[in-house]
Amino acid sequence: MTESRVFRGLAAAPGIAIGPALVYDPVSATAAAPTGTATDEFARLEAAITQADATIAAHEAALRAAGRDEEAEIFAAHRMILADVALRERAAELLRSEGQGAAAAIATASEEQARELESLGDDYLSARAADLRDVAVQVQRALTGARGLGEQLDGPTVVIARDLGPSDLMSARREHLLGFALTAGGLTAHSVILARGLGIPAVVGLGAELLEHAADGATVALDGGTGSLILNPGTAEIERLRAAQASGAAREAALRAEVGLPAVTTDGQRILLVANASTPAEASTARAWGAEGIGLLRTELLFLERPDLPGEEEQLALYRAVAAELPGMPITVRTLDVGGDKHLPAFPLPKEENPFLGWRGIRIGLSQPEILLPQLRALLRAGAEADIRIMLPMVSTAAEVRQARALLDQARAQLAAEGLPHAARPQLGVMIEVPAAALNAAALAREADFFSIGTNDLTQYTLACDRGNSRVAGLYQPLDPAVLRLIAMACEAAHREGRHVAVCGELGGDPQATALLIGLGVDELSCAPGALPHVRSAVRATSTAAARTLAARALVADSADEVQNLLAEVERP
Ligand code: PEP
Ligand code: MG
């Protein structure tokens, strides 16, 4: 019998896959390009780019149609890579000066760019190199007619590869792709994001040694929840994993069965369970998972990647479309939050020494009413027919809320004068994202109608560590007692004024933290649509008394690790 061998990598997408292996090499699938004259080859290259663009556009459209906007954006970005003039020009140069064939030229040109990205030592840019290679492989395939992953799978298979591009995943039939294991790859790769969205178990970063041992047809078992892969597992291993697979499926079914049930603790405290979204499609997915409204509508998407500012009517159409997905439910819309690492082509921001401490969020809105006023007008108008709540990002002081309210009054007076229907007095809330907002919570609670805690930024500003900088990622702990004390402070101050408090940062979607947040005094949880069933289930398993005890212990803990240990003690279904 063949020897069983265990490999350990990174847990990339949860789930267990057991089946025969296919060792896949996207690059060799595209080798051996025939060559003609440089002019012929250039014409072939252009035609192949058009063909690859059509394939990628079809992937994008399929995901959009399924309401998977976030994943669709991956392919929108791939189309931009394909349209990149520099890539095309470099390939053309290689055709002319080095007599390369079209397939070799696009491969060389993209590889040069990919290596350059990788050399910058940034995890995010390194992951983008994989996108670039994926796009180039699509063009090479269009030129050579080589078979992609989807065409090589003829039954349920576990794919083993050095790396896989998003297009490979999209080309495979879901029932044929049981899971995949990558020897390279990181957790931010687009193929990983896609796998999570599509529910394909995945393990990455397994190391090149795996390729030396794996062979087509060998049985493999991978566990995307623990990051392990067993080559040639024994019968006992297979049985253990099949049992775990079955209980995972049963848990998934139980979560689905709870979709229509309220998010209520065992002793009857009602938690409002709402979703984070950017588009009507995401709002629709949220409704399917039982969201009771939108707790954070991020509006940046409408403003980014376009040369002009969206007008009032265009904004109104978006807010109406989102509200139409969740009729009668609260829709909390955050006013534009750019600055920091988000830039606005229509309104270039000055280069700053410390952009995260600079002109960002409400600070821009208040000093540039030509941006905020049309947004407030659109929100007031959408509020004529729906429960639209307005939320201000990056607030530090009560004075900022007063200024925003004055602008809101101005927008309302304009609409009244123009005879346009609008909300009489929509709720105006603030995000608690900087320590000053939590420390000034009493004053803010007198000015604002509600709080929503943005734990992503609150963590970065409290611990003074950039949320996107992998060098300080160890410090970035939303469970750090310092962050928790600020959350407790904000809840206390809000409740004293009769205001409610939501959490809309990533921590709100972590079912492990649900009891803790309820214990700290949070009334509403807003999370990504896919996290809703998990958070609902966690709320329904929580007793308020136990949650308060847990929170009291966490507030006096010494470290995030200690809090994590406390959470691990909580029994969950
Ligand atoms: C947050 O900071 O927690 C938040 C929800 O806002 P964003 O992630 O959009 O900055
Ligand atoms: Mg934020």
Side-chain angles (χ1 to χ4, degrees), residues 24 29 141 145-149 151-152:
Y24 176 68
R141 283 206 191 116
R147 297 187 314 152
L149 180 63
E151 295 151 304
Q152 293 190 37

Side-chain angles (χ1 to χ4, degrees), residues 334 337 360 431 433 456-457 467:
R334 178 174 74 184
D337 183 19
R360 184 186 168 191
M431 289 194 73
E433 299 186 280
N456 309 340
D457 274 314
R467 63 198 250 191

Side-chain angles (χ1 to χ4, degrees), residues 204-352:
V204 304
L206 282 154
E209 206 197 338
L210 172 61
L211 289 176
E212 290 164 24
H213 296 274
D216 285 349
T219 301
V220 281
L222 69 81
D223 184 343
T226 61
S228 64
L229 177 143
I230 310 174
L231 197 57
N232 307 313
T235 323
E237 284 295 354
I238 293 184
E239 271 170 22
R240 182 184 66 77
L241 286 166
R242 287 234 185 273
Q245 201 174 29
S247 71
R251 167 119 185 87
E252 186 75 26
L255 287 175
R256 282 188 185 276
E258 282 185 353
V259 159
L261 299 178
V264 60
T265 61
T266 54
D267 53 333
Q269 186 191 341
R270 195 76 169 74
I271 298 294
L272 189 70
L273 185 57
V274 289
N276 295 350
S278 297
T279 61
E282 278 178 320
S284 156
T285 310
R287 185 187 47 188
W289 282 114
E292 299 175 79
I294 297 294
L296 166 62
L297 183 75
R298 290 184 168 100
T299 56
E300 290 75 58
L301 207 61
L302 193 60
F303 289 74
L304 299 173
E305 288 172 22
R306 57 185 287 162
D308 55 344
L309 289 170
E312 181 179 318
E313 296 300 328
E314 198 176 341
Q315 294 192 51
L316 177 60
L318 170 70
Y319 308 145
R320 278 187 178 148
V322 170
E325 295 294 342
L326 296 145
M329 300 186 208
I331 309 291
T332 302
V333 184
R334 178 174 74 184
T335 60
L336 184 66
D337 183 19
V338 287
D341 59 352
K342 287 192 216 117
H343 302 283
L344 205 56
F347 186 80
L349 298 167
K351 193 163 163 40
E352 295 179 312

Side-chain angles (χ1 to χ4, degrees), residues 48-107:
I49 288 175
T50 308
Q51 190 181 329
D53 184 58
T55 309
I56 298 171
H59 296 330
E60 184 189 346
L63 287 164
R64 289 215 192 274
R68 314 193 78 91
D69 274 7
E70 194 187 336
E71 289 114 304
E73 286 304 322
I74 295 171
F75 292 100
H78 279 201
R79 297 187 68 198
M80 281 168 69
I81 295 174
L82 207 49
D84 178 14
V85 178
L87 185 67
R88 228 174 260 224
E89 280 177 357
R90 176 70 184 131
E93 194 181 310
L94 290 164
L95 290 176
R96 281 193 304 271
S97 63
E98 303 202 3
Q100 290 192 359
I106 192 74

Side-chain angles (χ1 to χ4, degrees), residues 157-207:
T157 306
V158 178
V159 173
I160 297 177
R162 197 192 81 79
D163 209 349
L164 271 187
S167 301
D168 284 318
L169 294 191
M170 285 302 287
S171 73
R173 283 167 56 180
R174 179 65 191 88
E175 65 273 25
H176 285 173
L177 186 56
L178 296 174
F180 64 86
L182 305 184
T183 59
L187 294 177
T188 54
H190 275 147
S191 50
V192 167
I193 294 171
L194 205 53
R196 283 190 206 126
L198 298 173
I200 302 171
V203 179
V204 304
L206 282 154

